[in-house]
Amino acid sequence: MSETHSHLWPGVPLALGSAALFGATPPLSKLLLDAVNPFMLAGLLYLGAGVGLALYRLLRGKQAAAGEAQLAARDIPWLALAIGMGGIVAPVLLMFGLSLNTASSSALLLNLEGLATMAIAWLVYRENVDRRLLFGAFAILAGAVLLSWDGGGVAFNPGALLVAGACLAWGLDNNFTRRISATDPVVIAMLKGLVAGAANIGLALAAGASFPAVSIVAATAAVGFLGIGVSLVMFILALRHLGTARTGAYYSLAPFIGALLAIAMLGDTVTLKLAIAGLLMGVGLWLHLSERHDHEHDHEALEHEHSHVHDEHHQHHHDGPVSEPHSHWHRHAPMRHRHPHYPDLHHRHGHG
């Protein structure tokens, strides 16, 4: 891969892959809704993600532990905040919000998650943003809003505030997860899935829902493993390479991917609204892919642990041969250089 485009790899494919898997979840879930209560379905999807990743982690064992940094005591508060916001607070707010608000209004408001994710990353964590990136992000978000618009508007009522609150909680979840994205993404996604799954199933049972047939549970778990579990692992890896704002923008493409799959799988018709939304998202995607953030920058001395190979930023020695990628505590000496980069683990510097 050329030096010009090397900064796109692997963060951008990971973010787009995450969006594609998550975008496939709604049309696949729609096939299951006739047999499963919607709240129970959400719980089983998340639980399927958590259990599937737990089995994967168990099968890989020491090999997985050697290749990734493991959660440490300093990471637990951020993990707890991420799980609490994204796995408990957001679903509860959303469920109560949906019960008090119209479906069309709620669908429009759910696009606030992408906006909240990017706003927090830019305003709180000071991720770099320029005019091209801003226009691209809002073109993608505009396409997502158009897809979820059915001719009505946003109803300003307590239900709408609760749905907006759920989006804010998910935005916080994404930014809290960024703080621990250097650690094993499978473990993070596994814990999120198990907690969110248990919480949603508990709420469904409390509301009077019951478990569906075993075959339906298995099918739902499989969809959840890929559409939520694997998707979340890829999302966390993308956070590691791109930062939160850019990952959130790419992830906002999920509704368009879902709409295309619904056309292919469920026979939905191609509409003018879908075409215009696709054009907006295409422009936004092009603006992001053509971004080239390139300037001379300083790296201060840094010590941390994460999965890495011995590239330009990792010039340290080992006593004996090692396989790559690998993870261990290592030190970065101060250096100054210039190359295209994103706000990844090694480029979270300020800009004048």
Side-chain angles (χ1 to χ4, degrees):
M1 187 173 293
S2 69
E3 176 64 23
T4 303
H5 298 291
S6 61
H7 62 296
L8 301 176
W9 179 268
V12 171
L14 284 167
L16 292 175
S18 175
L21 284 173
F22 186 73
T25 304
L28 290 172
S29 298
K30 191 172 181 179
L31 297 173
L32 298 164
L33 271 176
D34 289 339
V36 190
N37 173 280
F39 296 158
M40 178 62 73
L41 178 64
L44 291 173
L45 287 169
Y46 273 98
L47 196 63
V51 172
L53 291 173
L55 291 173
Y56 169 80
R57 187 68 172 73
L58 185 64
L59 291 172
R60 291 204 62 198
K62 292 181 179 179
Q63 181 183 0
E68 289 286 351
Q70 299 307 300
L71 288 165
R74 64 182 178 278
D75 302 317
I76 300 304
W78 294 111
L79 176 64
L81 284 169
I83 292 176
M85 283 294 166
I88 299 175
V89 174
V92 170
L93 290 177
L94 179 62
M95 288 180 188
F96 282 110
L98 289 173
S99 68
L100 299 172
N101 197 29
T102 63
S104 59
S105 174
S106 298
L108 281 170
L109 286 167
L110 283 171
N111 292 295
L112 289 174
E113 180 189 345
L115 186 60
T117 297
M118 288 183 277
I120 294 168
W122 290 332
L123 299 176
V124 178
Y125 291 105
R126 300 295 182 184
E127 285 192 10
N128 171 256
V129 57
D130 57 20
R131 191 173 299 173
R132 170 185 289 268
L133 188 68
L134 193 63
F135 286 161
F138 280 104
I140 292 171
L141 284 174
V145 169
L146 182 60
L147 277 177
S148 55
W149 183 61
D150 67 351
V154 173
F156 295 97
N157 55 40
L161 291 177
L162 289 170
V163 174
C167 293
L168 176 60
W170 275 314
L172 288 168
D173 167 21
N174 293 334
N175 280 276
F176 291 149
T177 301
R178 169 192 184 267
R179 298 295 298 260
I180 54 174
S181 60
T183 61
D184 193 336
V186 173
V187 173
I188 296 172
M190 175 190 73
L191 293 173
K192 280 189 169 187
L194 291 173
V195 173
N200 281 292
I201 288 175
L203 287 168
L205 292 174
S210 58
F211 283 101
V214 174
S215 59
I216 299 297
V217 171
T220 306
V223 173
F225 172 67
L226 293 172
I228 293 179
V230 177
S231 173
L232 184 52
V233 170
M234 296 177 77
F235 183 86
I236 295 168
L237 288 171
L239 288 176
R240 183 184 294 179
H241 295 284
L242 301 178
T244 315
R246 289 163 177 80
T247 303
Y250 287 121
Y251 197 71
S252 296
L253 291 164
F256 181 70
I257 297 170
L260 292 180
L261 287 171
I263 291 169
M265 295 167 51
L266 306 177
D268 288 3
T269 57
V270 179
T271 64
L272 179 61
K273 181 173 71 172
L274 177 64
I276 297 173
L279 179 62
L280 284 168
M281 289 185 160
V283 169
L285 181 61
W286 174 78
L287 287 170
H288 275 250
L289 290 175
S290 60
E291 175 198 9
R292 185 180 172 86
H293 185 68
D294 183 355
H295 62 91
E296 195 167 36
H297 55 276
D298 290 303
H299 291 271
E300 298 179 356
L302 172 66
E303 292 188 27
H304 61 176
E305 180 179 359
H306 63 96
S307 179
H308 63 276
V309 297
H310 289 169
D311 57 15
E312 183 180 7
H313 294 92
H314 297 90
Q315 296 297 315
H316 50 254
H317 298 285
H318 293 266
D319 295 328
V322 294
S323 60
E324 295 183 359
H326 57 247
S327 179
H328 60 86
W329 193 264
H330 56 276
R331 182 179 186 275
H332 295 271
M335 65 182 299
R336 182 177 181 84
H337 63 173
R338 176 173 184 159
H339 63 94
H341 60 278
Y342 289 122
D344 58 23
L345 291 176
H346 302 98
H347 297 93
R348 293 176 177 170
H349 49 255
H351 295 81

